[in-house]
């Protein structure tokens, strides 16, 4: 059946702009962009993969605008990246029941980053930390030693870590995001919840095998329009993986909520999978 419209949806990947030009979101890995088109033309480095990227021109209050978009599309809560700026503080103070936060992290910063995670968690109450391995500078692989302090910090705090897995959209090297790297981390940190982001392609079959193997490994559907959800992920959710697949959008970075939920009508999840996919798995994994 198509997704039930009465579920209060939890979106585990959303962004709140601070201004109309959102190119600052990608500034940290801009030096990795080696082709002229990516450097000069793209406001969003994976723009070639998306059409009709949502625009935020003529918006005065980005936090309220984001909540309005959520209300129009049945999204009750959303996880957004915490930035130490007025936008994040406004979201937390004005809409404490609508937003929860992950903290994007840089493993190259060592113990200073661990201290920052613990400080912000004590101030904000983080629901997760996150790393874009191919977007670190220098690039740091999922199973590199620089990542282990972040895994330890998340495990000690009892919060998940979200990791981009699979070939990255921006035209930067993929080696650091090979899905096979997760096997070692799941083995070494058996109590740490790990959530894959951004598809895990072309290793989605391996991602399923690893989720079958490791109890605390999960998959979120971020950055994919529902019509492009991998078949193996849908099949897994409909069989043994109903508790492992978590809805995540990509608004407004690459997809509108209207596009996502119009596509969602055609996703062939079983009836019993929808509540878990759209809400319950996120509540469980992110301790909502």
């Amino acid at each position: 059946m198509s997704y039930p419209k009465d579920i209060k949806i939890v979106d585990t990947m959303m962004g709140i702009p601070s201004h109309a030009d959102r190119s600052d979101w990608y500034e940290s890995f801009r030096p990795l962009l080696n082709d002229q088109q990516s450097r000069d033309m793209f406001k969003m480095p994976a723009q070639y993969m998306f059409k009709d990227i949502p625009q935020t021109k003529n918006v005065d209050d980005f936090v309220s605008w984001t909540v309005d978009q959520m209300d129009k599309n049945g999204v009750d809560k959303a996880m957004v990246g915490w930035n130490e700026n007025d936008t994040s503080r406004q979201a937390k103070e004005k809409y404490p029941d609508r937003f929860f936060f992950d903290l994007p992290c840089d493993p190259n910063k060592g113990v200073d980053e661990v201290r920052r995670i613990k400080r912000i968690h004590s101030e904000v109450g983080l629901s997760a930390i996150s790393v874009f391995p191919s977007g670190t500078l220098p690039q740091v692989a999922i199973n590199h030693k620089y990542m282990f302090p972040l895994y330890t910090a998340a495990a000690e705090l009892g919060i998940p870590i979200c990791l981009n897995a699979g070939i990255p959209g921006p035209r930067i090297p993929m080696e650091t995001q090979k899905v096979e790297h997760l096997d070692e981390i799941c083995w070494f940190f058996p109590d740490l919840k790990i959530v894959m982001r951004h598809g895990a392609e072309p290793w989605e079959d391996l991602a399923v095998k690893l989720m079958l193997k490791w109890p605390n490994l999960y998959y979120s559907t971020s950055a994919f329009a529902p019509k492009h959800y991998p078949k193996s992920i849908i099949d897994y959710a409909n069989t043994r993986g109903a508790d492992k697949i978590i809805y995540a959008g990509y608004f407004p970075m690459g997809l509108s909520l209207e596009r996502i939920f119009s596509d969602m009508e055609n996703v062939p999840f079983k009836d019993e999978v929808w509540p878990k996919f759209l809400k319950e798995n996120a509540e469980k994994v992110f301790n909502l």
Side-chain angles (χ1 to χ4, degrees), residues 209-243:
K209 290 291 187 183
L210 290 176
M211 283 188 282
L212 285 166
K213 179 180 179 181
W214 298 112
N216 283 323
L217 181 62
Y218 299 85
Y219 180 103
S220 70
T221 58
S222 63
F224 275 58
K227 68 184 292 184
H228 297 303
Y229 289 171
K231 182 179 183 299
S232 59
I233 296 299
I234 294 173
D235 291 345
Y236 178 56
N238 281 334
T239 52
R240 297 176 64 183
D243 296 327

Side-chain angles (χ1 to χ4, degrees), residues 13 26 29 102 104 129-136 140-143 147 151 161-170 172 174-179 181-182 194-201 203 218-220 222-223 250:
M13 190 170 191
Y26 315 106
F29 64 88
D102 80 276
I129 62 174
S130 60
V131 177
F132 173 18
S134 287
T136 53
V140 177
I142 287 169
N143 63 344
M147 289 289 291
Y151 296 138
I161 184 166
C162 300
L163 298 170
N164 289 31
I167 292 180
I172 54 182
M174 70 181 187
E175 175 66 32
T176 54
Q177 293 188 179
K178 286 184 174 178
V179 170
H181 297 326
L182 288 163
I194 300 171
V195 181
M196 289 177 273
R197 279 180 165 172
H198 285 33
E201 288 186 333
W203 304 290
Y218 299 85
Y219 180 103
S220 70
S222 63
Y250 201 47

Side-chain angles (χ1 to χ4, degrees), residues 37-56:
Q37 188 180 43
S38 292
R39 288 177 175 177
D40 295 346
M41 295 181 64
F42 290 164
K43 294 289 186 182
M44 185 271 216
Q47 185 175 328
Y48 69 95
M49 299 180 67
F50 298 92
K51 61 181 180 180
D52 302 323
I53 295 174
Q55 300 300 308
T56 51

